Amino acid sequence: MRILGIESSCDETGVALVDASGSATPRLLGHALHSQIEMHQAYGGVVPELASRDHIRRVLPLTDTVLAQAGLPLSAVDAIAYTRGPGLAGALLVGSGVACALGFALGKPVIGVHHLEGHLLSPFLSADPPEFPFVALLVSGGHSQLMRVDGVGRYELLGETIDDAAGEAFDKSAKLLGLPYPGGPALSRLALQGDPQAYKFPRPLLHSGDLDFSFAGLKTAVLTQVKRLAHASPEGPATLHLADPLNAQQKADVAASVQAAIVDVLVRKSMAAIRQTGLMRLVVAGGVGANVLLREQLGTACAKAGVRVHYPELHLCTDNGAMIALAGGMRVQAGLADDGPVGYPFDVKPRWPLSELGGAIAA
Ligand code: KG4
Ligand code: ZN
């Protein structure tokens, strides 16, 4: 059973092929990715219409690349998985349209995959795959959630952000510092030169007693701090960009202090989820899972608590087709993939809570 996976929910076009024969974890036969980051950088964020058009340009050449990597013809594909949601409607429609067209042409089923399920299961493609059950910390540009995962499709929401996602907090803080989009990687690079204790940023909901997050206040605190520093600088407040009057060390100190606040909250809430569930395994997935400080601090906290922590391969932390092909494959193996929509409708769900996923346990 070979499953082609297509990811097109945001600003990355990803295509991959997995072998999901038998009950072993699906094996990656090939994968290719095109990132639109450079194209969107000029606008400081993702422009949905440009994203959709670029997905159209990239998806078939990437599919050819993947099949060439696997040394297989298109006819060797047994099912096509695509990201059905959540994401940008136009961008999702490209993946859905291509998946349905290929499915119709080949007479093969299509499987609509939940993007977050893809992230959640992505560590199964790593050299050190987890075993069920585990706690998952899912931290991306649009989501921050803690989940109890008992098996494929068996997800219980333990806590989530009540406003901004962790990736959004990185991105918005980076923007305030004048860093290029996407802010997370740029901010964490700058933070290497800074003092994480230079500024005391809030750790919202740290003692709320539940597993929810809140990151919107952090952005305001960073804005206030940057303004204060700009006004105090010999150059005075900037006209072009708020952070211009700050010197390099001040910018690095703000970056390091913001990162420390975000990571602190994520680590403490993850460990609270571990204590609450009694599970001894933690999976970290989503773009923010690539953050080095988060990995270091979770590593230390988990080692102390005797908890195993699993990550996707670094290049599979951010959006990619491999996780979609994998999730499609694991759904088929678990008997949870429907046989594909009759008539291949272009069926996308731009808003789609993971708790509404078929086979999932609602919180
Ligand atoms: O999972 P992802 O690729 O896309 C979504 O599904 O949203 O996550 C993208 C997010 C962005 O907010 C990006 O800034 C953040 O992940 N990110 C990072 C790092 N790499 C990516 N945040 C912090 N540190 C990183 N190294
Ligand atoms: Zn994602």
Side-chain angles (χ1 to χ4, degrees):
M1 181 88 183
R2 294 186 199 94
I3 296 173
L4 187 76
I6 301 174
E7 155 64 30
S8 71
S9 67
C10 190
D11 57 352
E12 252 106 28
T13 323
V15 180
L17 188 68
V18 296
D19 181 353
S21 307
S23 58
T25 303
R27 200 165 52 86
L28 198 55
L29 300 176
H31 93 107
L33 187 75
H34 175 78
S35 170
Q36 304 177 353
I37 283 177
E38 233 171 86
M39 182 179 76
H40 296 296
Q41 237 157 18
Y43 306 93
V46 179
V47 183
E49 179 61 24
L50 293 183
S52 314
R53 291 178 191 208
D54 202 59
H55 286 309
I56 293 173
R57 270 194 293 275
R58 308 289 175 182
V59 64
L60 289 178
L62 287 174
T63 305
D64 285 340
T65 303
V66 166
L67 290 170
Q69 280 173 9
L72 292 166
L74 185 60
S75 55
V77 172
D78 298 302
I80 301 110
Y82 68 97
T83 306
R84 188 178 175 202
L88 301 168
L92 290 168
L93 277 169
V94 177
S96 157
V98 170
C100 287
L102 288 176
F104 182 71
L106 297 169
K108 297 287 164 65
V110 299
I111 306 159
V113 169
H114 195 293
H115 181 83
L116 294 183
E117 183 172 49
H119 276 304
L120 201 67
L121 299 177
S122 60
F124 281 96
L125 285 173
S126 74
D128 179 29
E131 277 168 32
F132 297 116
F134 53 78
V135 169
L137 171 69
L138 229 168
V139 271
S140 70
H143 296 85
S144 297
Q145 300 183 326
L146 275 162
M147 243 162 316
R148 182 194 165 101
V149 178
D150 285 293
V152 178
R154 297 173 62 203
Y155 313 124
E156 183 188 349
L157 186 66
L158 301 172
E160 65 182 333
T161 182
I162 57 168
D163 41 52
D164 288 355
E168 227 174 330
F170 270 106
D171 293 345
K172 288 179 176 173
S173 304
K175 207 168 184 174
L176 286 171
L177 286 172
L179 298 174
Y181 159 86
L187 188 134
S188 59
R189 262 194 309 277
L190 181 59
L192 289 173
Q193 263 90 56
D195 172 8
Q197 276 157 8
Y199 306 108
K200 188 103 193 93
F201 288 126
R203 270 85 166 147
L205 302 190
L206 201 55
H207 304 292
S208 58
D210 58 24
L211 297 173
D212 286 340
F213 306 97
S214 164
F215 292 110
L218 197 53
K219 177 192 60 193
T220 315
V222 174
L223 174 67
T224 310
Q225 186 61 55
V226 170
K227 272 189 183 162
R228 197 176 294 148
L229 291 170
H231 278 274
S233 105
E235 288 178 45
T239 45
L240 188 63
H241 192 281
L242 189 67
D244 282 349
L246 274 64
N247 64 40
Q249 191 57 51
Q250 287 174 321
K251 287 186 191 175
D253 285 348
V254 172
S257 303
V258 180
Q259 177 175 250
I262 300 171
V263 166
D264 196 17
V265 173
L266 294 177
V267 170
R268 297 227 225 157
K269 292 273 175 168
S270 299
M271 299 320 287
I274 290 283
R275 281 194 299 276
Q276 187 176 306
T277 57
L279 297 177
M280 297 303 277
R281 232 175 245 283
L282 177 69
V283 157
V284 185
V288 181
N291 186 270
V292 175
L293 185 72
L294 178 66
R295 288 184 174 222
E296 276 173 16
Q297 297 207 350
L298 272 179
T300 308
C302 286
K304 226 163 117 189
V307 171
R308 289 283 309 275
V309 54
H310 301 263
Y311 298 94
E313 302 285 329
L314 208 51
H315 70 285
L316 297 182
C317 272
T318 44
D319 294 348
N320 63 83
M323 67 185 197
I324 302 304
L326 169 80
M330 289 180 82
R331 286 216 141 227
V332 169
Q333 289 173 327
L336 290 174
D338 40 40
D339 289 327
V342 180
Y344 300 103
F346 294 8
D347 184 22
V348 297
K349 286 189 163 207
R351 285 184 186 280
W352 190 10
L354 192 59
S355 53
E356 284 177 14
L357 189 60
I361 305 166

